[in-house]
Amino acid sequence: QCLGGCRGATSKRSLTKQLSIWIQDAKSCRRVLQLWRKHHASFDAIHAAGCFWRVSLLVRNSQYISAVDYAQLAEVVNDHVQKDELNARGLCNILVALVYSRYAAFCETPLICFHLAQNCAEKLPSAGLASPKDISSAAWASSQLLMWDTSEI
């Protein structure tokens, strides 16, 4: 029997699912950042990586995000990566997202992005099983990332 705790657990699960839907449906970087600012206390590693992925897709399609906002989001994602809170698919997606957003933000936040890419690549072998698609995506992203000019880092 539930003694008052069930409603909270159910609403937390509902919010977690709803946040994922809102992130996926966001049509602008501004909307992703609004979700981030309003609900960051409820975000887990998947939500943070999802925001990073979504922003990268939007930036790739000519949306704008400030270098400061992008750097803050990258730092939060990097914290989750360092704590081993993402599986192989999440790490692969972050590597691809870095490539997608390369021209929009990397030039202004090179050190943060470089460390994020490096940490994802280092964690990938121990992150569990990856699908062939994830492996090929990570290989493609890694080849692109190797071409980045890191001389100023």
Side-chain angles (χ1 to χ4, degrees), residues 29-46:
C29 291
R30 181 176 179 212
R31 176 65 178 143
V32 174
L33 293 171
Q34 286 173 338
L35 290 168
W36 176 259
R37 289 184 180 113
K38 185 173 182 179
H39 299 287
H40 65 66
S42 301
F43 273 38
D44 59 19
I46 302 298

Side-chain angles (χ1 to χ4, degrees), residues 18-28 31 35 54:
Q18 189 61 49
L19 285 170
S20 295
I21 292 168
W22 288 337
I23 293 165
Q24 290 172 4
D25 290 346
K27 303 281 189 247
S28 69
R31 176 65 178 143
L35 290 168
R54 189 70 188 140

Side-chain angles (χ1 to χ4, degrees), residues 52 69-79 98 112-113 116:
F52 194 74
D69 288 333
Y70 186 85
Q72 288 175 347
L73 189 53
E75 285 177 348
V76 170
V77 171
N78 196 34
D79 288 343
L98 283 165
I112 293 164
C113 294
L116 178 56

